[in-house]
Amino acid sequence: MTASAVGSSPEALTASRRRVLVDAMGIAVSAIGFGFVYGLSAREAGFSPIEVLAMSVLVFGGASQFAAVGYVASGLAWPGIVLLTALLNARHLLYSAALAPWLSGVPFRRRAVMAHLLTDEAFAISIGHFRRLGYTDAWGYWMGAIVSTFIPWTLATVAGVILGGQIPDPARLGIDIIFPAAMIGLSVGLLTGRREIVAAIVGAGVGVAVALLSSPAVGIIVGGLVGPIAGLAVPARLAHETDPLAIRDTPADPEARR
Amino acid sequence: MSTDLIPLAFLMFLVTYPSRALGLLTPWLDRLPRIGFDYLQLVGPAILAALAAVSVMVVVSDEGTPMFHIGVEWIAVLACLAVTAWRRNLLMGLIVAVAIVVIARNLGLAAIPA
């Protein structure tokens, strides 16, 4: 597969960017809802607005921030919280590795900034965008990382901790369902063949089983590691997949697209 | 205003950033064999599905014990999946999911989480 065969035309770029914008709107709604709920939870646990802001800017990881609120509230020692955070956020290594071939031409310092902004949402939006195009368009990464996630998440978490006392029962508004729904909705764009579908189903099943036996954090990581192995077991002739990562088909002059 | 937890946030950053940066900043990943890239391509769907499934199917009790959960959240998430796949629109899927949960909880058809 070559870049031109996938979508190097201006029309393809415009169409894919439009798709990124639509997805980013959904993600922003998710980030606002989830961030607001996080702010509420942090407030209940005794976090101040400046502490919530520090967590959102420095850690920038919803699941690990939520977990930390629970453990701070229960009085867990900091080393335990830090270990849990490392475990829960270890999945980013896999995202980072998957994006590396696409972003290898980006200057080192810019990649270092990109790394801090790498989230589930940024990964899903950008990898989908790159794969649709067949080449790297860093605009998609920044949209997924900053516009749809970092800004709304950070503002919503602070709003949650400041305004939270005025909402009597957030669960009645269904805010807690936004995060899992957004995750499963984001996976739709990545289910391009039978291997991906098998990986998702096995990842979910294994994740739940392991979570019940140990903890949700461990379950998510084990599901994410085992699911792809099951996906690889699908014979290539049955896979009907797009070219994986198109690593060997990135354009000869990647800077031309940045 | 308390600032006691800011050092904790910094420690959490110190253990999170390496996992985000290692892949992007180290050149050896370019030399992974094909099966390695095939594996990495499948990581996204597997982790996103695991995140969603664990979020709606596992709840942690006050004692810290994970427990299997069955509820309207399953229907909401599956509806989001279906609508997003059908309309290619995540925002619409999220609206449907939230609407299902709000209606079910406010009509007393589903429990409201603590």
Side-chain angles (χ1 to χ4, degrees), chain A residues 19 25-27 29 47-48 50-51 55 58-60 68 78 82 85-86 89 91-97 100-101 103 108 111-112 115-116 118 120 123 131 171-173 176-178 180-185 188 190 195-196 199-200 203-204 207-208 211-212 214 216 220 224-225 228-229 231-232 243-245 248, chain B residues 1-13 15-17 19-25 29-30 32-35 37-58 60 66-68 73 76-77 80-81 84-85 88-91 94 97-98 101-102 105-106 112-113:
Chain A
R19 172 79 182 276
M25 281 177 57
I27 294 302
V29 170
F47 285 50
S48 69
I50 191 74
E51 289 169 338
M55 286 280 177
L58 291 173
V59 183
F60 189 40
W78 281 17
V82 172
T85 301
N89 288 337
R91 68 184 186 281
H92 292 114
L93 177 62
L94 304 174
Y95 294 159
S96 176
L103 299 175
F108 184 86
R111 267 183 287 142
H116 178 59
L118 180 56
D120 303 316
F123 171 75
R131 285 173 57 184
R172 281 192 181 277
L173 303 178
D176 56 295
I177 200 63
I178 291 176
M183 292 301 103
I184 204 70
V188 169
L190 301 178
R195 280 183 166 175
E196 286 80 359
V208 169
L212 290 170
S214 55
I220 290 163
L225 290 172
I229 295 172
L232 287 176
D243 195 16
L245 297 179
R248 290 165 185 84
Chain B
M1 186 179 295
S2 170
T3 56
D4 295 348
L5 294 174
I6 292 178
L8 175 63
F10 187 69
L11 290 173
M12 291 169 69
F13 162 77
V15 297
T16 298
Y17 185 76
S19 65
R20 286 173 163 153
L22 197 59
L24 285 176
L25 302 181
L29 281 165
D30 278 348
L32 271 182
R34 182 73 178 201
I35 192 168
F37 287 112
D38 288 355
Y39 178 89
L40 292 174
Q41 188 187 21
L42 300 175
V43 165
I47 282 199
L48 292 175
L51 273 168
V54 171
S55 295
V56 299
M57 294 183 183
V58 181
V60 179
M67 296 185 303
F68 192 64
E73 295 84 4
V77 166
C80 178
L81 176 66
T84 305
R88 291 283 156 188
N89 188 324
L90 176 60
L91 185 58
L94 289 175
V98 170
V101 169
V102 168
R105 287 177 181 169
N106 285 282
I112 298 174

